[in-house]
Amino acid sequence: MGVGSTRTNSDAYLDGLRAIAVLAVVALHSRPAVRTPDDFQLLGIDVEFVFASSYMGVDLFFVLSGFLLARPWFTAELTGKPRPDLPTFWRRRLARIVPGYYFSIIATVFFFAGTTIPLETLRGWLGARILGAHALFVHNYIPVTSTGLNFANVGWWTLTVEMTWYLLLPLFSLACLGGRWRIALPLVVAATAVWILVVRNGMDHTIATIAGWSDPNELRLVGIGTPIEHYVRFDILLTAFPSFAATFLFGVLLAKLWAIARAREPGSPVPVWQRPQVATAACGLALAGLVATAAWAFRAHIEQPLARPLYGLFLAVIVYGVCFGYPVLRRPLECLPLRFIGWVSFGVYLFNLPVSAVVSSKLDLSGLGRWTQFAGYFAATTAVSVAAATVSWLFVERAFLARTTPVVRTWRDRVLHPSRRAAAVGLAVAAAATYALVIR
């Protein structure tokens, strides 16, 4: 049911939206495997821009993160309940992200060390910096640590952004309480636009300084072949949190609407924005705008960072439409296969890039047509990634999310909870075995 249609609504459709987001990322990574020089066409129309723009799955994840995580702050505002406890919030976010992420690092090193990942980048002081930066989620702030272990899993850059978001979420939520959102919205949107334009067209001295900190030999080892100044500008600064601040804020404002809708008394007048016909129309217009903008940006060679805030706005309006629109918008997203992919979407995201590399190297579909090739690579990558994500969820991630009993109150008791202890020991053994068998 939609938000506000009942006090006992279901969020099942949000699992479907997560699935759409991660499948878009899988499509982006499956497209290079298609061995044909021709662009994709559908009914005579060039649709190559669809694949080139599939990175928007990440932006959809950011919108959903803002939407889902900010809801307790607005619920507290409208109900008078206490605001979320920050240490508890941050501890839960770490418990959700760290185990699966660390597992993906161990698996990537185990399977790709010595091939895609040179052993020199895993040993000594360089290896300590690279692995340490990844473990602390600061890898995308430093050139030599930002390549996702020689591009074996470069998608990890989003974890740096997401962790920064967890730290700043309380500030964003507080800035939108009451009528303060009217100030926060233009300020954050303007700050995002200024950051992108200034980084894109200026900051030469700062970029040169950052580039000067890097050892050219180390950069070569980690796979950075482009001029370091260009790499710092586009692959570090323009993929940092400020470039996505507005996108997260759009999600926060959706959370505010959600809380207002939930708090509305039965029988009270329905605001215009909450009417399903308005939300459905907005969803359709936003989807049309998203497709048209993506097609224009692709053909006009508009650089990705310049268009992403606008994509974030369109995606937020689409999520708004799905939440508040007619049930027909939600029903397809609530089907069980799509929901299952949504449940394990974090793991699918973590594993799909290395999986796609293996699939494209082992599966030769070059004798088939463009669409058949893509369908084969996409299906194989999705199937293997979902399987890996399911294993990660069942044996690693779920243990750290298990609820403790009421008598388990202390930090020590939570850490030493049997399921968490077993999963932590398993991760430690896997890491030690990987070091002994692969790195040492």
Side-chain angles (χ1 to χ4, degrees):
M1 296 183 180
V3 176
S5 60
T6 174
R7 289 182 179 270
T8 57
N9 75 230
S10 167
D11 284 344
Y13 61 92
L14 295 176
D15 295 323
L17 285 173
R18 290 191 191 94
I20 296 297
V22 80
L23 290 175
V25 175
V26 175
L28 175 69
H29 295 154
S30 299
R31 169 61 182 93
V34 177
R35 299 173 175 88
T36 173
D38 302 323
D39 288 343
F40 280 82
Q41 293 198 352
L42 185 65
L43 302 177
I45 301 174
D46 186 348
V47 293
E48 189 67 35
F49 75 92
V50 174
F51 298 98
S53 305
S54 295
Y55 60 80
M56 285 189 284
V58 169
D59 301 76
L60 179 54
F61 272 128
F62 289 163
V63 170
L64 291 174
S65 183
F67 173 44
L68 293 169
L69 297 181
R71 296 197 302 192
W73 268 267
F74 298 110
T75 299
E77 176 194 20
L78 296 172
T79 61
K81 295 180 180 179
R83 293 171 184 167
D85 177 67
L86 291 183
T88 300
F89 167 75
W90 286 322
R91 185 179 65 246
R92 288 176 177 171
R93 295 323 300 162
L94 288 174
R96 178 65 189 95
I97 297 298
V98 168
Y101 170 56
Y102 282 9
F103 180 57
S104 74
I105 293 176
I106 294 169
T108 301
V109 171
F110 184 83
F111 286 106
F112 291 92
T115 55
T116 303
I117 309 172
L119 291 176
E120 299 94 321
T121 64
L122 300 173
R123 294 170 174 165
W125 174 234
L126 177 59
R129 281 183 290 153
I130 291 175
L131 295 176
H134 280 82
L136 296 175
F137 295 91
V138 297
H139 48 281
N140 207 54
Y141 293 136
I142 308 166
V144 77
T145 67
S146 65
T147 62
L149 300 181
N150 288 68
F151 301 96
N153 206 337
V154 73
W156 288 329
W157 70 268
T158 62
L159 275 297
T160 298
V161 176
E162 192 74 11
M163 278 297 175
T164 307
W165 164 237
Y166 295 158
L167 292 175
L168 296 176
L169 167 63
L171 295 178
F172 275 62
S173 300
L174 292 174
C176 292
L177 294 180
R180 285 180 282 188
W181 68 270
R182 296 183 179 88
I183 299 174
L185 177 59
L187 281 180
V188 173
V189 170
T192 300
V194 168
W195 168 264
I196 292 173
L197 292 174
V198 169
V199 172
R200 171 62 186 85
N201 300 303
M203 294 185 67
D204 294 340
H205 178 71
T206 301
I207 291 171
T209 301
I210 296 173
W213 295 339
S214 304
D215 183 330
N217 292 325
E218 291 182 343
L219 294 175
R220 176 183 52 80
L221 279 174
V222 299
I224 298 179
T226 58
I228 183 59
E229 290 79 9
H230 181 277
Y231 184 86
V232 169
R233 188 187 304 276
F234 285 94
D235 293 275
I236 293 182
L237 295 180
L238 285 176
T239 59
F241 176 82
S243 296
F244 301 96
T247 298
F248 282 108
L249 182 70
F250 297 147
V252 171
L253 293 177
L254 279 178
K256 185 178 181 72
L257 293 180
W258 179 90
I260 293 172
R262 293 273 288 178
R264 184 175 62 84
E265 292 296 330
S268 62
V270 179
V272 173
W273 58 263
Q274 199 178 337
R275 294 174 184 172
Q277 59 269 37
V278 173
T280 302
C283 183
L285 291 173
L287 181 60
L290 183 68
V291 173
T293 303
W296 167 76
F298 176 74
R299 294 185 177 117
H301 304 288
I302 302 298
E303 292 165 341
Q304 187 183 116
L306 300 178
R308 291 190 90 148
L310 185 57
Y311 294 157
L313 175 61
F314 283 133
L315 290 168
V317 175
I318 290 171
V319 174
Y320 153 76
V322 172
C323 291
F324 293 95
Y326 289 116
V328 68
L329 298 179
R330 294 182 290 277
R331 288 196 190 108
L333 299 171
E334 294 172 347
C335 68
L336 189 56
L338 208 56
R339 288 190 65 196
F340 181 80
I341 295 175
W343 294 336
V344 297
S345 58
F346 179 56
V348 175
Y349 178 82
L350 290 175
F351 289 108
N352 84 94
L353 187 55
V355 166
S356 68
V358 173
V359 167
S360 63
S361 66
K362 301 296 184 183
L363 187 62
D364 185 6
L365 301 178
S366 56
L368 303 175
R370 292 188 300 275
W371 286 103
T372 306
Q373 284 188 53
F374 173 76
Y377 291 124
F378 176 79
T381 300
T382 300
V384 178
S385 299
V386 168
T390 302
V391 170
S392 176
W393 168 253
L394 291 176
F395 298 104
V396 179
E397 300 167 55
R398 186 174 62 167
F400 290 90
L401 298 175
R403 295 285 183 182
T404 54
T405 61
V407 297
V408 180
R409 294 189 177 94
T410 68
W411 179 87
R412 179 182 175 84
D413 289 335
R414 283 192 293 265
V415 171
L416 296 181
H417 189 271
S419 62
R420 295 190 179 112
R421 183 172 55 200
V425 169
L427 277 176
V429 170
T434 300
Y435 175 78
L437 298 174
V438 178
I439 299 177
R440 188 173 180 178

